[in-house]
Amino acid sequence: MAVSVQQADFHIDQVLDELAAGRRDVGAVAVFIGKVRDINSGDDVSTLTLEHYPGMTEKSIEKIVTEAEQRWALMDSTVIHRVGELQPTDNIVLVAVASAHRGDAFQACEFIMDYLKTRAPFWKKEQTADGERWVEARNSDKKAAQRW
Amino acid sequence: MAVSVQQADFHIDQVLDELAAGRRDVGAVAVFIGKVRDINSGDDVSTLTLEHYPGMTEKSIEKIVTEAEQRWALMDSTVIHRVGELQPTDNIVLVAVASAHRGDAFQACEFIMDYLKTRAPFWKKEQTADGERWVEARNSDKKAAQRW
Amino acid sequence: MKLQILYFASLREQLGRDRESLVVEDPVNTLQDLMAQLASRGDAWRAVMSDNPNLLAAINQETAQADAPLNDGDEVAFFPPVTGG
Amino acid sequence: MKLQILYFASLREQLGRDRESLVVEDPVNTLQDLMAQLASRGDAWRAVMSDNPNLLAAINQETAQADAPLNDGDEVAFFPPVTGG
């Protein structure tokens, strides 16, 4: 398991080179990348600022990934979440999961994302033409996390 | 939509740079990578040879992706499937899907993979210590495709 | 009626060929008729064409069922269940 | 009892601080007791600490409910629903 909270962007080929490196029995890798959109709730977004709770963030992500490892047959997982100021089209988050089979990889990847959205202490603030505002938590994210 | 059947490997960062290039409203990218495992049905695999039906392969993949585009709100999709001789740890297939929201991206990516496995005319032959054999179609793949 | 016939994967090996141009003289209206005619070529052919629940076929690169009509110039392909991805 | 208290995101802005060291003299056994004491600091504090169905808290970096016990040296954090990912 590799978990990182960082300002810097990530290179996916590099992440995947390190995922389950040296193992020859990986059959399936599922990856999710979340990006900054230029629009939210109808307004143009110019900058997104991501705040987090250093220490608890890493712990809560490790907990989420450990839970995924208990539920599915995984060989390795990487979670990278960026913080600080981001612009539209920038990457925000990457979740990559390696498994023997695609069902496990897909489900674990989606599970980790759903829980990241509802349990990891990150907060987004958007700068729009009308000023800045904190992004509100979505009911759809709560529901997505309750599926599991 | 970009569909390619090729011998050459792919670079994921490059694929993702071209996916929905220029769009600033992509919020979610789901990627699946299938890889050659060193073991199958209990035997060590040294080489995997992938045969396909040129022409029909591309058409059937385009059909699968078009179906996904009708069912989910997608912004772009890329499918790359390798053919020829591959070794354990080599990439076989990549499916990448861009959407505004993660639910659409995940579902469309998994749908495309399930249908690729059951409808696109590719055939795998394995070289093992005991000689070579054609890989048999799996019931679990049929079932996975019937979910949708 | 002239057909282009393709064989893939294990079928290609069992039948010892990957393609052939076939001029059909007896009436061959459907894929089923063509399969019956090919089956009469001998044991290997019968095994593939008539005693094979796993046989798949395509006409002009579209998956086809046994009752699908055949036309002059069609490309017909026979193959086993697919195993890509 | 000495506590380290952290405030995040919109709460940090509403309360005008990101952290404080608090020496508690009245009996504060649970998170709920601490919230009641902080709520008495004024309107902004009451809005955050007592009239706020969306208030979340953690003790020593683990999510905690209102009845969770507090101990000397604990790190307590208050924050709104999370919006990462």
Side-chain angles (χ1 to χ4, degrees):
Chain A
M1 183 199 310
V3 171
S4 172
V5 177
Q6 61 189 47
Q7 161 76 61
D9 198 9
F10 42 78
H11 293 283
I12 296 145
D13 283 308
Q14 197 184 315
V15 169
L16 297 189
D17 279 350
E18 289 163 18
L19 186 77
R23 291 195 69 147
R24 297 164 57 82
D25 52 356
V26 174
V29 176
V31 184
F32 179 83
I33 298 142
K35 295 167 83 80
V36 183
R37 302 169 66 207
D38 64 352
I39 198 159
N40 195 13
S41 303
D43 291 313
D44 287 354
V45 175
S46 59
T47 307
L48 192 73
T49 308
L50 262 148
E51 178 175 334
H52 77 123
Y53 181 175
M56 181 171 172
T57 320
E58 293 81 353
K59 270 196 211 172
S60 68
I61 298 174
E62 283 163 18
K63 214 167 147 182
I64 290 164
V65 175
T66 301
E67 209 173 313
E69 286 174 345
Q70 285 160 356
R71 296 180 62 157
W72 292 281
L74 308 185
M75 290 164 168
D76 198 9
S77 322
T78 298
V79 177
I80 301 175
H81 204 300
R82 296 180 71 191
V83 290
E85 283 204 3
L86 300 174
Q87 267 72 46
T89 78
D90 281 352
N91 295 322
I92 303 175
V93 61
L94 174 143
V95 175
V97 174
S99 176
H101 304 292
R102 74 185 184 289
D104 291 286
F106 270 120
Q107 287 187 58
C109 188
E110 201 169 357
F111 169 87
I112 291 170
M113 269 311 300
D114 284 350
Y115 271 76
L116 256 184
K117 284 256 176 196
T118 51
R119 295 208 307 203
F122 291 100
W123 301 275
K124 284 187 188 126
K125 185 185 231 177
E126 291 172 343
Q127 278 76 42
T128 72
D130 295 336
E132 51 176 42
R133 62 178 179 207
W134 290 97
V135 173
E136 294 208 2
R138 292 182 188 205
N139 249 327
S140 60
D141 288 328
K142 251 194 187 167
K143 270 196 195 151
Q146 282 164 355
R147 287 184 294 168
W148 303 99
Chain B
M1 184 198 310
V3 171
S4 173
V5 178
Q6 61 189 47
Q7 161 75 62
D9 197 8
F10 42 79
H11 293 282
I12 296 144
D13 282 308
Q14 197 182 317
V15 169
L16 297 190
D17 279 350
E18 289 164 15
L19 185 77
R23 290 195 69 149
R24 298 164 55 83
D25 52 355
V26 173
V29 176
V31 184
F32 179 83
I33 299 143
K35 295 167 83 78
V36 183
R37 300 170 64 207
D38 64 353
I39 197 159
N40 194 14
S41 303
D43 289 315
D44 286 353
V45 175
S46 59
T47 307
L48 192 72
T49 309
L50 263 147
E51 177 174 334
H52 76 124
Y53 181 175
M56 181 170 171
T57 319
E58 292 82 352
K59 269 196 212 174
S60 68
I61 297 175
E62 284 165 16
K63 215 167 145 181
I64 291 164
V65 175
T66 301
E67 210 172 311
E69 287 175 344
Q70 285 160 356
R71 295 180 63 159
W72 292 281
L74 309 183
M75 289 164 170
D76 199 9
S77 321
T78 299
V79 177
I80 302 174
H81 203 301
R82 297 181 69 190
V83 291
E85 284 203 4
L86 300 174
Q87 267 70 47
T89 77
D90 281 354
N91 295 322
I92 303 175
V93 61
L94 174 143
V95 175
V97 174
S99 176
H101 303 292
R102 74 184 184 288
D104 292 285
F106 270 120
Q107 287 187 58
C109 187
E110 201 168 358
F111 169 88
I112 291 170
M113 269 311 301
D114 284 349
Y115 272 77
L116 257 183
K117 284 255 174 195
T118 51
R119 296 207 307 203
F122 291 100
W123 300 275
K124 286 188 187 124
K125 186 184 229 176
E126 291 173 343
Q127 278 74 42
T128 74
D130 295 335
E132 51 178 41
R133 64 179 176 205
W134 290 98
V135 174
E136 295 209 3
R138 291 182 188 205
N139 249 327
S140 59
D141 287 329
K142 250 194 189 168
K143 271 196 196 154
Q146 283 164 353
R147 285 183 295 168
W148 302 100
Chain C
M1 181 163 80
K2 197 175 168 186
L3 299 171
Q4 186 72 15
I5 312 189
L6 311 180
Y7 306 95
F8 288 97
S10 52
L11 266 61
R12 175 173 49 73
E13 292 182 352
Q14 283 171 265
L15 302 174
R17 69 189 69 188
D18 64 352
R19 59 170 59 226
E20 64 181 301
S21 278
L22 188 70
V23 177
V24 188
E25 288 173 9
D26 297 330
V28 165
N29 298 313
T30 66
L31 195 55
Q32 182 65 62
D33 298 338
L34 174 65
M35 286 158 62
Q37 189 166 317
L38 293 171
S40 71
R41 285 176 171 177
D43 286 352
W45 289 88
R46 190 167 50 253
V48 166
M49 294 293 163
S50 81
D51 303 329
N52 184 358
N54 288 323
L55 182 66
L56 297 178
I59 300 174
N60 299 326
Q61 307 188 353
E62 298 273 354
T63 306
Q65 303 303 317
D67 60 356
L70 285 175
N71 295 295
D72 187 45
D74 278 351
E75 175 178 303
V76 179
F78 293 105
F79 46 84
V82 304
T83 55
Chain D
M1 183 163 81
K2 197 175 169 186
L3 300 171
Q4 185 72 14
I5 312 187
L6 311 179
Y7 306 94
F8 288 97
S10 52
L11 267 58
R12 175 173 49 71
E13 292 182 350
Q14 283 171 265
L15 302 175
R17 68 188 69 187
D18 64 351
R19 61 169 60 226
E20 63 181 303
S21 278
L22 188 69
V23 177
V24 187
E25 290 174 8
D26 298 329
V28 166
N29 298 314
T30 65
L31 195 54
Q32 182 66 61
D33 296 339
L34 174 65
M35 286 159 63
Q37 188 166 318
L38 292 172
S40 71
R41 285 177 171 179
D43 286 353
W45 290 88
R46 189 166 52 250
V48 166
M49 293 294 163
S50 81
D51 304 329
N52 185 357
N54 288 323
L55 181 67
L56 297 178
I59 299 174
N60 298 326
Q61 307 190 352
E62 298 274 354
T63 305
Q65 304 303 318
D67 59 355
L70 286 175
N71 294 295
D72 187 45
D74 278 353
E75 175 178 303
V76 179
F78 293 105
F79 46 83
V82 305
T83 56

